[in-house]
Amino acid sequence: MTDISCTVIAGGVGAARFLRGLVRAIDPAGVTAIVNVADDVVMHGLNVSPDLDTVTYTLAGVDNTETGWGVEDETWQAMQTLGRYGGDVWFNLGDRDLGTNLFRTGQLAEGAPLSAVTRDITAGWGIDATLLPATDDRIETRVTTADHGEIGFQEYFVRHRHAVPVTAVRFVGIEAAAPGPGVLEAISDADLVVIAPSNPVVSIGPVVSIPGIREAIESRRDTVVGISPIVGGKALKGPADRLMRELGMEPTVVGVAEAYRSMAGTLVIDEVDAAMAGTVEASGMDCIVTDTIMRDAEIAAALATTIIDGVLDR
């Protein structure tokens, strides 16, 4: 197992799958994930952190592969009871997942910062990697849609199944937010920084919009690698391709290169997009072409190893 340190700028499912492979490729103690919290929402009176929990459950090996979120072997009795009373149940929380959110909500209400609560949660699952919320401050992704005006991200993503056209995205509270404890150090001190194959607009975008984070990444650009979440002009999961198109970005690996080239010296693209490698390189980035579709943990580990060998050993 390679003895290096790697910090990953992370969103939800794509980042979780990459991290699951990374902790097989290198010592998990050397892995730090800086996780998006702009998707966080108060739902049913509970503080929910979807991206943090997706990464946590995946690294713990208890992720729900049927839904793509939440915990395996989930039941839904609490939501069924809530629906019986006429409660709003478009945002489901499974019975096992409720325990995490009850703990987080109680700790936050007592004054604990999100970073400390996250540390307790990951310790509870026996995770050796370090998960850092991008900030302890409250930030929120707001989406302006053609049909419903400005709505919260979870309403767009879950309630409307990210099927409504988007005209703008903004991150409320971002200007006043500060990087969470350990975030800037994790960026500066790691041997390698990886921008995970997460949505460039609403997963990576809010993390690098927190004052100080983009600058910290840009300052070490040569050892920063982005992984394209776009394969063959489409997102493997979620609305990244549609959001990019609707917001005037090219929904290809070339558009991803444009978004990341100030931060990352290398972009990893899938073999499907090999013909675009030259265009990526013409933008001023090195390009690694490999299998990026992480169908299982072994492929994710191979991807991580390819990145490490391609950047640190060149």
Side-chain angles (χ1 to χ4, degrees), residues 252-263:
T252 68
V253 296
V254 175
V256 177
E258 177 66 25
Y260 290 165
R261 65 179 182 176
S262 73
M263 296 184 289

Side-chain angles (χ1 to χ4, degrees), residues 148-236:
H148 305 281
E150 186 178 77
I151 57 179
F153 177 78
Q154 295 302 337
E155 187 171 356
Y156 159 75
F157 188 74
V158 179
R159 188 169 200 167
H160 298 292
R161 301 180 184 274
H162 50 79
V164 292
V166 171
T167 59
V169 172
R170 69 187 182 107
F171 309 124
V172 177
I174 203 77
E175 297 85 359
V183 165
L184 296 183
E185 293 82 357
I187 294 170
S188 64
D189 296 347
D191 295 314
L192 181 69
V193 173
V194 176
I195 302 174
S198 303
N199 189 311
V201 178
V202 294
S203 291
I204 303 302
V207 175
V208 301
S209 295
I210 296 167
I213 292 183
R214 176 182 285 273
E215 294 80 1
I217 298 171
E218 289 177 339
S219 71
R220 53 163 306 157
R221 178 179 181 273
D222 288 348
T223 49
V224 178
V225 181
I227 306 173
S228 176
I230 304 296
V231 176
K234 295 182 179 179
L236 295 178

Side-chain angles (χ1 to χ4, degrees), residues 57-77:
Y57 297 149
T58 301
L59 288 178
V62 297
D63 52 310
N64 190 329
T65 57
E66 292 184 10
T67 62
W69 50 269
V71 190
E72 65 182 356
D73 300 325
E74 191 60 275
T75 56
W76 308 94
Q77 295 186 52

